[in-house]
Amino acid sequence: MKNLLSISEINILSKGEQQKIKGGASLDPTKCSCSCSGSIVGPFYCSQIMGCLDVYTCNDNTI
């Protein structure tokens, strides 16, 4: 802690100030899904946390 305080232009935030900070990346897997064609659907991070089968599964009617 002593070394951090010696760095110039550092501000120490109080607990109250820290609680007011909002933002950051929220990796919510419930926002990710797979399309019928096997593509990943959702925010940009979905491709990093899940995968889809490369098969077409929509309207699979056999005659």
Side-chain angles (χ1 to χ4, degrees), residues 14-34:
S14 69
K15 286 186 180 184
E17 291 170 324
Q18 291 176 28
Q19 290 175 346
K20 291 179 184 177
I21 297 174
K22 296 181 180 177
S26 172
L27 302 179
D28 184 0
T30 62
K31 294 182 180 180
C32 305
S33 62
C34 296

Side-chain angles (χ1 to χ4, degrees), residues 40-51:
I40 298 172
V41 179
F44 73 94
Y45 59 81
C46 291
S47 61
Q48 297 172 357
I49 63 172
M50 69 174 287

Side-chain angles (χ1 to χ4, degrees), residues 1-7:
M1 181 82 168
K2 195 177 212 183
N3 291 338
L4 288 176
L5 296 176
S6 65
I7 299 173

Side-chain angles (χ1 to χ4, degrees), residues 34-40 51-57:
C34 296
S35 70
C36 312
S37 62
S39 298
I40 298 172
C52 297
L53 298 175
D54 293 333
V55 255
Y56 190 86
T57 57

